[in-house]
């Protein structure tokens, strides 16, 4: 087996997928230039933007916020704010939101927080006691709904998310397993299929960064001091796919890059195929929807009826 050299005499902090070992300073340089290259390669930002970064207080969102904050200091025409959703998951989201608030205060970033309790009347924990549904299904619907609606009200030109290469890889494989290629057509570093003023464009600057790289960057830059996972995540389909892909990656290094790179080759034809998807306006809340009533309003109605019974 060929032993890959380290970058310099300093102690390495990471071994990359290709085997190269990097010290702290070389890794930070490598990681940040990879993110900026992704932004250029996929034309994620214009010269002038009013960006909202979706923050959860986890490693991915704090990493992308920290790098974009540096970019905005160098380019005053790129304005940055943060937006967070408090789902109401006791013992988890309260702690991660504290981390997000501390980071934003320290780095002079405006933070806008919206909660399920205020917007829908119940926390996620309360909703899950009423409805027998998969936590991530209902949580994902309400979060996407609020992020898009509030980003539009805040007049963000783009919504940045902290999705990394591992997240994207899992989504691609999950959609294959469900035979849902229309959902895959909405993936990619510039997510979404339809340009419509009701939708705020979503971009993923960490698209080509592995979870291991993001975790390393977050910890060596002291963006957070512990790793906290949502208690509902363990039951999700995504967690099963994640474990399977991690196992594959461990035995066949580079598997995740191969999945995402081959997906990027097929993405233009997928988008072409699904480009005529019709977007309606929900008859109740007037937010974008693929049906007459959107998924969020359907869940709100189910909760209302269940509480009444
Ligand atoms: Fe919501 Fe599921 Fe994410 Fe937890 S893991 S925050 S329940 S989507």
């Amino acid at each position: 087996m060929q032993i890959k050299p380290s970058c310099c005499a300093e102690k390495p902090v990471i071994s990359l997928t290709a085997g190269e070992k990097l010290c702290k300073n070389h890794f930070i340089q490598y990681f940040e230039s990879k993110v900026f290259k992704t932004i250029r390669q996929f034309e994620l930002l214009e010269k002038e933007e009013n960006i909202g970064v979706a923050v959860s207080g986890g490693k991915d969102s704090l990493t992308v916020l920290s790098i974009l904050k540096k970019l905005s200091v160098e380019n005053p025409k790129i304005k940055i704010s943060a937006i967070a959703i408090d789902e109401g998951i006791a013992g988890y989201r309260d702690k991660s939101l504290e981390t997000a608030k501390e980071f934003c205060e320290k780095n002079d970033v405006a933070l806008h927080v919206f909660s399920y309790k205020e917007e829908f009347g119940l926390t996620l924990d309360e909703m899950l006691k009423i409805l027998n549904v998969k936590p991530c299904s209902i949580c994902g619907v309400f979060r996407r709904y609020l992020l898009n609606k509030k980003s539009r009200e805040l007049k963000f030109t783009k919504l940045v998310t902290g999705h990394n290469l591992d997240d994207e890889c899992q989504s691609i494989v999950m959609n294959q397993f469900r035979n849902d290629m229309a959902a895959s057509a909405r993936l990619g570093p510039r997510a979404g299929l339809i340009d419509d003023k009701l939708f705020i464009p979503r971009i993923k600057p960490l698209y080509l960064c592995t979870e291991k790289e993001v975790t390393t960057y977050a910890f060596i830059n002291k963006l957070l001091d512990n790793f906290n996972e949502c208690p509902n995540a363990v039951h999700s389909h995504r967690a099963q796919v994640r474990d399977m892909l991690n196992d594959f990656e461990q035995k066949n290094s580079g598997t995740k890059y191969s999945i995402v790179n081959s997906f990027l080759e097929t993405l233009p034809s997928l988008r072409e195929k699904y480009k005529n998807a019709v977007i309606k306006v929900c008859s109740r809340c007037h937010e974008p929807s693929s049906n007459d009533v959107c998924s969020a309003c359907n869940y709100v109605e189910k909760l209302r009826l269940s509480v009444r019974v």
Side-chain angles (χ1 to χ4, degrees):
M1 192 178 86
Q2 196 190 354
I3 306 216
K4 303 269 178 169
S6 292
C7 57
C8 64
E10 293 297 315
K11 189 175 154 215
V13 293
I14 189 168
S15 170
L16 302 179
T17 305
E20 194 184 356
K21 292 184 168 65
L22 296 183
C23 73
K24 180 177 167 182
N25 288 339
H26 279 113
F27 171 66
I28 292 175
Q29 235 173 52
Y30 156 87
F31 186 86
E32 291 182 356
S33 44
K34 190 172 182 177
V35 176
F36 293 135
K37 190 172 164 219
T38 303
I39 291 173
R40 286 194 304 273
Q41 183 183 346
F42 298 105
E43 300 175 347
L44 301 187
L45 294 176
E46 307 290 328
K47 287 204 166 70
E48 210 167 324
E49 296 275 8
N50 179 25
I51 294 172
V53 180
V55 289
S56 62
K59 62 182 178 11
D60 303 296
S61 60
L62 292 182
T63 293
V64 77
L65 179 57
S66 156
I67 294 180
L68 289 184
K69 176 66 191 175
K70 286 187 189 179
L71 185 72
S72 79
V73 170
E74 285 164 22
N75 301 272
K77 287 189 174 170
I78 308 273
K79 295 199 170 59
I80 302 274
S81 314
I83 174 168
I85 304 298
D86 180 359
E87 301 92 345
I89 305 170
Y92 165 64
R93 184 58 81 218
D94 33 2
K95 288 184 186 158
S96 65
L97 278 179
E98 248 342 282
T99 311
K101 279 178 196 160
E102 276 168 27
F103 180 92
C104 288
E105 270 168 29
K106 201 166 136 196
N107 291 280
D108 197 20
V109 176
L111 172 65
H112 307 271
V113 184
F114 302 96
S115 73
Y116 287 4
K117 183 80 176 176
E118 274 177 32
E119 302 290 332
F120 305 113
L122 296 166
T123 64
L124 181 68
D125 289 346
E126 290 166 341
M127 291 175 189
L128 295 176
K129 284 185 191 141
I130 298 167
L131 291 185
N132 184 19
V133 289
K134 290 191 176 146
C136 298
S137 307
I138 186 167
C139 183
V141 164
F142 283 142
R143 195 178 52 237
R144 279 191 297 277
Y145 177 93
L146 278 186
L147 280 174
N148 186 61
K149 184 177 177 196
K150 299 297 176 184
S151 295
R152 207 179 55 234
E153 289 170 6
L154 289 162
K155 302 200 180 335
F156 292 153
T157 50
K158 302 260 164 63
L159 177 66
V160 173
T161 65
H163 288 101
N164 61 42
L165 183 114
D166 289 52
D167 298 323
E168 185 79 351
C169 202
Q170 290 153 18
S171 300
I172 295 165
V173 172
M174 284 161 68
N175 291 340
Q176 292 275 4
F177 284 1
R178 294 179 183 134
N179 190 21
D180 190 353
M181 298 318 286
S184 282
R186 295 193 292 271
L187 295 175
R190 292 172 70 102
L193 195 51
I194 294 169
D195 283 335
D196 188 297
K197 62 180 178 2
L198 287 176
F199 283 122
I200 299 302
R202 283 171 293 128
I203 58 169
K204 307 171 186 169
L206 305 184
Y207 193 81
L208 297 176
C209 303
T210 64
E211 175 125 2
K212 181 178 167 185
E213 290 171 347
V214 179
T215 309
T216 307
Y217 185 88
F219 281 103
I220 61 180
N221 284 288
K222 299 190 172 38
L223 301 181
L224 70 176
D225 44 29
N226 57 23
F227 180 69
N228 199 359
E229 194 179 46
C230 173
N232 299 314
V234 61
H235 308 296
S236 67
H237 184 212
R238 181 173 289 275
Q240 285 177 36
V241 172
R242 178 194 63 196
D243 294 346
M244 180 198 76
L245 286 169
N246 284 347
D247 188 43
F248 253 86
E249 180 72 36
Q250 206 186 3
K251 292 172 185 151
N252 309 280
S253 181
T255 298
K256 292 175 190 172
Y257 274 116
S258 300
I259 292 173
V260 169
N261 283 332
S262 56
F263 171 72
L264 282 173
E265 271 188 44
T266 61
L267 187 56
S269 46
L270 262 184
R271 291 240 164 114
E272 184 61 28
K273 179 170 178 194
Y274 291 100
K275 70 177 181 193
N276 294 327
V278 180
I279 278 296
K280 301 178 183 175
V281 172
C282 172
S283 57
R284 293 188 192 158
C285 67
H286 310 297
E287 286 300 303
S289 169
S290 39
N291 297 304
D292 292 339
V293 176
C294 73
S295 305
C297 284
N298 269 324
Y299 273 128
V300 168
E301 179 72 356
K302 278 187 195 161
L303 286 162
R304 202 174 57 82
L305 292 174
S306 305
V307 169
R308 201 191 278 165
V309 170

